[in-house]
Amino acid sequence: GQNIDQPTEMTATEGAIVQINCTYQTSGFNGLFWYQQHAGEAPTFLSYNVLDGLEEKGRFSSFLSRSKGYSYLLLKELQMKDSASYLCAVIGAGNNRKLIWGLGTSLAVNP
Amino acid sequence: EAQVTQNPRYLITVTGKKLTVTCSQNMNHEYMSWYRQDPGLGLRQIYYSMNVEVTDKGDVPEGYKVSRKEKRNFPLILESPSPNQTSLYFCASSLGGENTEAFFGQGTRLTVV
């Protein structure tokens, strides 16, 4: 079957660094997304990885290892507004390249 | 401003009363889709459309209908809503399919009593 695993909840302190992991088992791989979703709001795009390595974008970075079926999202200099759910989504194989969503990691940033 | 607009934001309705949730995007995107989001189940795709007059079932299509008569609009229709369709619904659009960044509408919180 196809599966994406993320921790359900994480807690971190304002100003710190946090790493949110995502592991996946899918039939084929054509890229991985990270989205941020504040409670009751729409998901918003953070990053897209299709090749191995680290992609940095301001305070947020995303890493991918295709051989290990593993990605992480790194958030630096945490701010209170980073309290949100972080969704990992993998594009599988097939003609329409379906997107498979993880259940999300709820991050609470404390002062 | 580039955006996906859903209406209504909140809706409480009774079992069996037909309703439509509208979705419109102004980015000229080919691909549009509908999701429902439930606690513990995450985002699940209901229907998607790769272009005008082309729609297909997602993972949970039962009880829903869609249409794509124009590129910008992709309404979701519940012909006979039931309480198990109480959920948070999102419309999304993207330029080139599911392997491109998705833009989501603000969400519609539907309660069926």
Side-chain angles (χ1 to χ4, degrees):
Chain A
Q2 308 201 93
N3 194 48
I4 295 180
D5 287 314
Q6 305 179 234
T8 304
E9 294 179 336
M10 298 184 71
T11 304
T13 304
E14 196 174 13
I17 300 173
V18 71
Q19 177 176 311
I20 302 174
N21 296 326
C22 170
T23 57
Y24 61 89
Q25 300 90 39
T26 58
S27 53
F29 177 85
N30 286 290
L32 184 145
F33 289 98
W34 284 97
Y35 283 82
Q36 180 190 58
Q37 185 179 24
H38 286 98
E41 297 183 10
T44 55
F45 171 82
L46 288 177
S47 67
Y48 172 66
N49 295 68
V50 65
L51 299 175
D52 290 350
L54 188 68
E55 297 271 347
E56 297 187 77
K57 195 186 292 186
R59 294 189 298 114
F60 292 12
S61 303
S62 56
F63 171 84
L64 175 66
S65 167
R66 288 172 296 171
S67 62
K68 295 181 179 176
Y70 168 69
S71 172
Y72 68 72
L73 181 69
L74 193 70
L75 291 74
K76 303 176 188 173
E77 301 168 20
L78 279 172
Q79 302 175 10
M80 299 296 289
K81 67 179 182 180
D82 297 330
S83 293
S85 185
Y86 292 86
L87 309 176
C88 173
V90 173
I91 307 161
N95 291 335
N96 57 6
R97 299 195 167 190
K98 294 296 295 176
L99 198 55
I100 305 151
W101 292 88
L103 296 184
T105 298
S106 179
L107 174 66
V109 179
N110 297 320
Chain B
E1 180 189 352
Q3 60 186 0
V4 179
T5 304
Q6 279 179 243
N7 279 297
R9 292 290 312 276
Y10 302 92
L11 180 60
I12 301 174
T13 190
V14 296
T15 299
K17 185 177 181 182
K18 180 180 178 180
L19 66 92
T20 300
V21 184
T22 63
C23 174
S24 181
Q25 52 95 3
N26 63 0
M27 295 169 279
N28 202 36
H29 284 170
E30 302 280 339
Y31 187 91
M32 297 185 75
S33 59
W34 275 101
Y35 291 92
R36 61 179 290 175
Q37 188 173 37
D38 303 285
L41 297 176
L43 279 166
R44 293 181 292 167
Q45 191 181 58
I46 303 169
Y47 269 93
Y48 64 94
S49 168
M50 301 191 81
N51 212 326
V52 176
E53 301 292 1
V54 180
T55 63
D56 211 342
K57 296 177 181 178
D59 300 316
V60 287
E62 294 77 22
Y64 304 94
K65 285 174 57 176
V66 292
S67 68
R68 188 93 182 271
K69 294 188 172 65
E70 314 158 274
K71 192 181 236 187
R72 63 184 294 123
N73 295 324
F74 191 45
L76 178 70
I77 302 153
L78 285 72
E79 293 271 5
S80 183
S82 62
N84 65 10
Q85 292 179 298
T86 292
S87 186
L88 178 59
Y89 290 86
F90 288 104
C91 177
S93 74
S94 58
L95 186 60
E98 293 203 311
N99 58 342
T100 54
E101 175 188 350
F103 294 81
F104 285 82
Q106 319 96 300
T108 296
R109 188 167 290 282
L110 173 66
T111 302
V112 184
V113 297

CSV table of all heavy atoms in Angstrom, one decimal, chain B residues 1 14 37 43 46 63 71 93 97:
chain,number,residue,atom,x,y,z
B,1,GLU,N,-5.5,40.2,-7.5
B,1,GLU,CA,-4.8,39.3,-6.6
B,1,GLU,C,-5.2,37.8,-7.0
B,1,GLU,O,-6.4,37.5,-7.2
B,1,GLU,CB,-5.3,39.5,-5.2
B,1,GLU,CG,-4.6,38.6,-4.2
B,1,GLU,CD,-5.2,38.7,-2.8
B,1,GLU,OE1,-6.0,39.6,-2.5
B,1,GLU,OE2,-4.8,37.9,-1.9
B,14,VAL,N,-30.0,20.8,6.4
B,14,VAL,CA,-30.7,19.6,6.9
B,14,VAL,C,-30.5,18.4,5.9
B,14,VAL,O,-30.2,18.6,4.7
B,14,VAL,CB,-32.2,19.8,7.1
B,14,VAL,CG1,-32.4,20.9,8.2
B,14,VAL,CG2,-32.9,20.3,5.8
B,37,GLN,N,-11.7,17.5,4.6
B,37,GLN,CA,-10.7,17.3,5.6
B,37,GLN,C,-11.4,17.0,6.9
B,37,GLN,O,-12.3,17.8,7.4
B,37,GLN,CB,-9.8,18.6,5.8
B,37,GLN,CG,-8.7,18.3,6.7
B,37,GLN,CD,-7.7,19.5,6.8
B,37,GLN,OE1,-8.1,20.7,6.7
B,37,GLN,NE2,-6.4,19.3,6.9
B,43,LEU,N,-6.6,15.2,4.5
B,43,LEU,CA,-7.2,15.7,3.3
B,43,LEU,C,-7.5,14.5,2.4
B,43,LEU,O,-6.6,13.7,2.1
B,43,LEU,CB,-6.2,16.6,2.6
B,43,LEU,CG,-6.2,18.1,3.0
B,43,LEU,CD1,-5.0,18.8,2.5
B,43,LEU,CD2,-7.5,18.8,2.6
B,46,ILE,N,-12.1,14.4,-3.4
B,46,ILE,CA,-13.4,14.0,-3.7
B,46,ILE,C,-13.5,13.8,-5.3
B,46,ILE,O,-13.9,12.8,-5.8
B,46,ILE,CB,-14.4,15.1,-3.2
B,46,ILE,CG1,-14.3,15.3,-1.7
B,46,ILE,CG2,-15.9,14.6,-3.6
B,46,ILE,CD1,-15.1,16.4,-1.2
B,63,GLY,N,-21.7,10.4,-3.1
B,63,GLY,CA,-22.6,11.5,-2.5
B,63,GLY,C,-22.3,12.9,-3.1
B,63,GLY,O,-23.0,13.8,-2.6
B,71,LYS,N,-13.4,27.2,-17.4
B,71,LYS,CA,-12.2,26.9,-16.8
B,71,LYS,C,-12.1,27.4,-15.3
B,71,LYS,O,-11.5,26.8,-14.5
B,71,LYS,CB,-11.1,27.6,-17.6
B,71,LYS,CG,-9.7,27.1,-17.2
B,71,LYS,CD,-8.6,27.8,-18.1
B,71,LYS,CE,-7.8,26.8,-18.8
B,71,LYS,NZ,-6.7,27.5,-19.5
B,93,SER,N,-6.7,24.7,-6.9
B,93,SER,CA,-6.4,24.8,-8.3
B,93,SER,C,-4.9,24.8,-8.4
B,93,SER,O,-4.1,25.2,-7.6
B,93,SER,CB,-7.0,26.0,-9.0
B,93,SER,OG,-6.3,27.2,-8.7
B,97,GLY,N,-1.6,20.3,-12.9
B,97,GLY,CA,-1.8,19.0,-12.3
B,97,GLY,C,-1.3,18.9,-10.9
B,97,GLY,O,-0.9,19.9,-10.3
